[in-house]
Amino acid sequence: MDTTPVDREAPKIEYCLYARKSSEDDERQAMSIDSQVKEMTDLATKDGIVIKEVREESHSAKESGQRPVFAQLLNDIRNGRFTGILTWAPDRLSRNAGDLGMLVDLMDQGKLLQIRTYSQIFSDNPNEKFLLMILCSQAKLENDQKGLNVKRGIRAKCEMGFRPGMAPLGYFNRAFNGIKDIIIDPDRGPIVTKAFQKVADEGTSGRTLKKWLVEKGFTNRSGKPISLSQIYLMLKNPFYYGEFEYPVGSGSWYKGSYKPLITKNVFG
């Protein structure tokens, strides 16, 4: 009986090249999609890897299930169309726990045989899967920290009296020498003040006020006459007497560092 060991050929891996970049601030320094495709195609040629298909996507990987191309890639791996992924770096595939978990599950099931990046190879073995999870978790940690830093920065601005976002009609956002502040619009500001006074002193209705504003040539920022709904929003906005809530509905109130157009008594 012949007991000579039989050399079993390793299964051929069917690769899909996946390239991704989003327009978010923290992605702007990432390599472009075209550059990712070129670098990984050159690597594949050098290492004798056959790329079955190239797929590109311009979406954030911060949240799970938000990338249609990536979701289709996972489905195709489940159905046996691909057994390997080529991508520039692990964070191109996942920056959240949900997508990372699906990738590892596919490896555990033997459906995803290999993830290959420009500098690393991750196969279905404990050490390489653990390293993949560490690298993707690091990308998630960076996302979470950036989110906290952004929220902290916004809160600090609010405490300094500067409300994030565009100032309401009657004010301008201004940036000077890197410093941002809010100043009164010399054209609209006095009219806004008078509008509040007409409501407070004369009991002017919204429709009558709209007619008066049209006669004054008062427009919104697009140059169109202000609508009735915009007037009601303006009259309900405490920003004009020097206070604002941010985010709206949060219960967090701040005193503005800008000059109020009306008093709190006029606001009513």
Side-chain angles (χ1 to χ4, degrees):
M1 182 177 182
D2 187 2
T3 58
T4 304
V6 177
D7 291 333
R8 294 187 177 180
E9 187 175 342
K12 182 181 179 181
I13 300 177
E14 302 280 350
Y15 288 96
C16 176
L17 197 167
Y18 177 80
R20 180 192 67 80
K21 183 177 181 178
S22 78
S23 59
E24 294 177 330
D25 288 343
D26 60 346
E27 286 271 332
R28 288 179 182 172
Q29 301 304 316
M31 183 180 286
S32 70
I33 288 178
D34 288 343
S35 296
Q36 292 175 45
V37 171
K38 181 182 183 306
E39 292 290 341
M40 296 312 295
T41 300
D42 290 346
L43 178 68
T45 301
K46 174 185 173 184
D47 292 352
I49 295 171
V50 177
I51 299 173
K52 190 172 183 180
E53 193 172 327
V54 176
R55 296 188 181 178
E56 304 172 1
E57 188 158 44
S58 298
H59 279 281
S60 169
K62 286 183 177 180
E63 297 181 7
S64 180
Q66 302 301 308
R67 293 175 289 160
V69 174
F70 181 76
Q72 185 58 53
L73 172 58
L74 294 183
N75 282 332
D76 287 339
I77 292 172
R78 292 186 187 99
N79 295 328
R81 180 175 174 80
F82 306 112
T83 52
I85 300 174
L86 277 178
T87 194
W88 171 251
D91 66 357
R92 298 303 87 199
L93 294 177
S94 172
R95 303 180 80 172
N96 67 80
D99 290 341
L100 173 59
M102 287 188 281
L103 288 168
V104 174
D105 283 346
L106 288 171
M107 283 185 154
D108 290 342
Q109 296 165 17
K111 294 182 178 182
L112 178 57
L113 302 180
Q114 191 176 93
I115 295 174
R116 189 161 186 153
T117 70
Y118 188 79
S119 58
Q120 293 165 304
I121 297 175
F122 305 97
S123 300
D124 182 20
N125 72 65
N127 290 336
E128 291 178 12
K129 284 190 292 188
F130 183 61
L131 179 57
L132 174 66
M133 288 189 286
I134 288 175
L135 294 174
C136 290
S137 296
Q138 178 66 31
K140 173 174 170 48
L141 176 62
E142 291 173 358
N143 279 335
D144 292 346
Q145 288 176 333
K146 286 175 182 175
L148 288 174
N149 289 338
V150 168
K151 290 178 181 178
R152 190 179 299 116
I154 290 175
R155 187 165 59 250
K157 288 182 178 179
C158 288
E159 289 170 351
M160 293 169 61
F162 182 83
R163 191 195 71 172
M166 183 175 290
L169 290 175
Y171 289 94
F172 280 142
N173 294 85
R174 180 179 67 173
F176 183 72
N177 288 337
I179 299 175
K180 296 180 179 180
D181 63 358
I182 296 173
I183 61 172
I184 293 175
D185 179 340
D187 297 321
R188 293 188 181 91
I191 299 176
V192 169
T193 300
K194 183 62 177 176
F196 272 98
Q197 289 172 341
K198 287 178 74 66
V199 173
D201 299 338
E202 304 170 19
T204 304
S205 68
R207 293 187 182 278
T208 302
L209 188 62
K210 182 179 187 303
K211 182 179 179 181
W212 178 80
L213 288 169
V214 170
E215 291 172 352
K216 288 289 185 180
F218 191 88
T219 64
N220 58 29
R221 287 193 175 89
S222 63
K224 297 179 180 179
I226 187 170
S227 67
L228 191 58
S229 61
Q230 288 175 317
I231 291 173
Y232 287 135
L233 287 174
M234 181 178 72
L235 295 174
K236 293 178 181 178
N237 193 345
F239 186 93
Y240 291 104
Y241 68 77
E243 296 181 12
F244 61 91
E245 182 187 25
Y246 192 87
V248 175
S250 66
S252 298
W253 286 87
Y254 303 91
K255 182 174 178 56
S257 59
Y258 53 90
K259 184 178 179 180
L261 284 174
I262 59 171
T263 65
K264 194 168 185 177
N265 286 337
V266 169
F267 184 80

